[in-house]
Amino acid sequence: MRERLGRLALRFYPSSFRDDHGGELLGTLLEAGEMSTAAFAAQLISVLLAGVAARCRRALTQPMRWLVLQTVVWAAVVSLARAFLYLVVMQLPHGAPESLQPILTGYVGPALILVLFTAGRGRAAGTIGLAWAADTVLEAHSNPTEYLSLGLQGVLLPALGFAVMLYRPRRALTGGRSLWILPAGAFAIWWLLGGQAGPLPLLLPILIALPLSGLFPAFALGTTLSWSVIGAWILIQFGGHADHVPLELLSTTPLTLLIFALARRLIDDQ
Amino acid sequence: MEFRPPSYYVLAALVDGPLHGYAIMQRAATLSDGAVRVSTGTLYSVLERALSEQLVVCGDPYVVGGRERRDYVLTPAGRDVLQAETDRLARAARVVGARLRATAQEVI
């Protein structure tokens, strides 16, 4: 039982550490916790916390260039997931589109991209993503009213991320690739429950992503960047009449950067 | 490498020769008169950092009583760093000790 718990606790460490030191750490843990259940529990907790800290250290001290690439990718994926899940919960219940084009652009394309990204197929996701972005821009061009501005803010950032996925798939893809479901899902569930536009549905996804800044900094930064773009768009569209907290949304990216810098400093000091 | 008490005593535990993980924890507790108890998680964080800074090296894993172990050895660089930290602590203790003695008479 103790060995099983120990092996479970080891899962909190990065895999490279487990490969190098997992066996001996488990041996030391069992030896140090031999005296009593309380002693074992205390040792086990120390291993759990150290494992999470090791993961955070690894994520936070990676080269800045990789972090920037991964942030752009996450911003693209979160933006796409948000748009996709919004369509699924708000439009699909009223009936699927009758023609093939909106089905492909609104549902099939985004779903395929998200599945490929989650499965770690970055190059394939990037290729289909760029095709999707091009198609969306063409669609917007033929219908140049509100859809153009909406489409562009929803397409430019994803297109940049898909381009990164296509050209640097190994660097672009990080762990926790299914995390996009958290912010996008929170946003969709809010609408599904009949929520009205206001501060909470827009800020809730960020509040979910921020605590993960240590473990998945690119995910947290990408999510806030994605929502900051929405903030910029609202500000441009509605100016001083906006009641959808654009400034709060815009401020989330600098806030996440500040948290990231502080966490990195903390890791350096240890 | 910053020397918090656990890091200091983990390296100090290796001064007398190679030790495996649990033996390092025990030796650190003995050297600090029980004041510093290094947990398993902290031990391997310190060792990983010390390995990356080449203050210690580790041998190949071996099994005793069904449990895997690996011995750690202090490198010459690790010994120098530990000596420098020990000198710094001794200097600080001398200065503060002298001030305490000097001011003790004034207080009385």
Side-chain angles (χ1 to χ4, degrees):
Chain A
M1 177 64 176
R2 285 186 178 187
E3 186 166 339
R4 200 175 299 167
L5 284 172
R7 286 192 190 283
L8 202 65
L10 272 176
R11 304 286 304 172
F12 283 76
Y13 279 90
S15 58
S16 58
F17 180 91
R18 279 202 307 273
D19 294 343
D20 290 343
H21 299 286
E24 54 160 323
L25 191 152
L26 185 64
T28 304
L29 169 67
L30 294 172
E31 222 165 340
E34 227 162 30
M35 280 187 298
S36 66
T37 306
F40 177 75
Q43 295 295 333
L44 189 70
I45 289 168
S46 83
V47 170
L48 287 174
L49 295 176
V52 173
R55 271 190 192 270
C56 287
R57 188 175 299 118
R58 203 149 293 193
L60 290 167
T61 55
Q62 66 181 318
M64 201 56 82
R65 198 159 40 91
W66 299 0
L67 187 79
V68 171
L69 290 181
Q70 290 163 6
T71 296
V72 173
V73 166
W74 269 116
V77 170
V78 169
S79 299
L80 181 77
R82 178 180 58 220
F84 170 62
L85 290 182
Y86 177 80
L87 279 182
V88 168
V89 299
M90 294 304 288
Q91 292 195 358
L92 205 55
H94 301 295
E98 287 176 5
S99 61
L100 187 63
Q101 176 73 15
I103 292 176
L104 287 175
T105 310
Y107 298 94
V108 178
L112 194 57
I113 296 163
L114 291 171
V115 167
L116 288 168
F117 172 79
T118 307
R121 308 296 296 271
R123 198 165 291 240
T127 308
I128 296 173
L130 282 176
W132 170 86
D135 187 63
T136 307
V137 169
L138 288 174
E139 178 73 14
H141 202 65
S142 65
N143 187 9
T145 51
E146 263 188 45
Y147 189 73
L148 184 61
S149 60
L150 265 170
L152 287 181
Q153 66 87 12
V155 167
L156 281 181
L157 189 60
L160 196 60
F162 297 140
V164 172
M165 273 193 235
L166 181 60
Y167 290 109
R168 299 300 299 271
R170 286 194 180 174
R171 287 277 172 266
L173 297 191
T174 56
R177 286 189 300 274
S178 51
L179 283 173
W180 55 265
I181 197 79
L182 293 177
F187 188 67
I189 287 170
W190 173 267
W191 286 106
L192 190 64
L193 296 176
Q196 297 298 305
L200 194 59
L202 289 167
L203 290 174
L204 184 64
I206 295 160
L207 296 177
I208 290 171
L210 274 183
L212 296 170
S213 298
L215 280 172
F216 302 102
F219 165 71
L221 282 166
T223 301
T224 51
L225 178 62
S226 161
W227 255 265
S228 287
V229 169
I230 295 263
W233 176 78
I234 293 171
L235 207 59
I236 292 165
Q237 287 290 106
F238 302 103
H241 305 292
D243 59 353
H244 295 343
V245 288
L247 290 176
E248 286 89 333
L249 287 175
L250 275 172
S251 66
T252 56
T253 296
L255 176 68
T256 316
L257 279 171
L258 184 68
I259 291 173
F260 169 76
L262 288 174
R264 200 165 157 131
R265 179 74 184 268
L266 196 70
I267 290 286
D268 283 345
D269 283 351
Q270 279 187 344
Chain B
M1 181 168 194
E2 178 149 343
F3 277 95
R4 293 210 168 87
S7 315
Y8 182 76
Y9 282 105
V10 164
L11 290 193
L14 296 171
V15 167
D16 295 321
L19 291 175
H20 60 81
Y22 184 53
I24 295 173
M25 291 163 74
Q26 288 178 309
R27 184 84 181 124
T30 306
L31 286 175
S32 64
D33 286 333
V36 175
R37 299 213 170 263
V38 183
S39 67
T40 310
T42 303
L43 173 71
Y44 281 92
S45 299
V46 171
L47 287 175
E48 192 192 17
R49 196 97 186 233
L51 280 167
S52 72
E53 294 179 14
Q54 296 174 340
L55 303 182
V56 300
V57 289
C58 62
D60 291 331
Y62 57 94
V63 176
V64 174
R67 285 173 187 164
E68 194 174 309
R69 284 180 177 174
R70 199 196 287 253
D71 287 339
Y72 289 84
V73 182
L74 197 62
T75 62
R79 190 171 273 274
D80 290 346
V81 167
L82 188 63
Q83 182 67 60
E85 179 65 4
T86 304
D87 292 345
R88 190 186 68 80
L89 290 172
R91 253 195 323 275
R94 257 200 320 275
V95 170
V96 176
R99 291 309 308 149
L100 283 172
R101 278 192 299 280
T103 54
Q105 289 170 340
E106 292 169 16
V107 170
I108 290 166

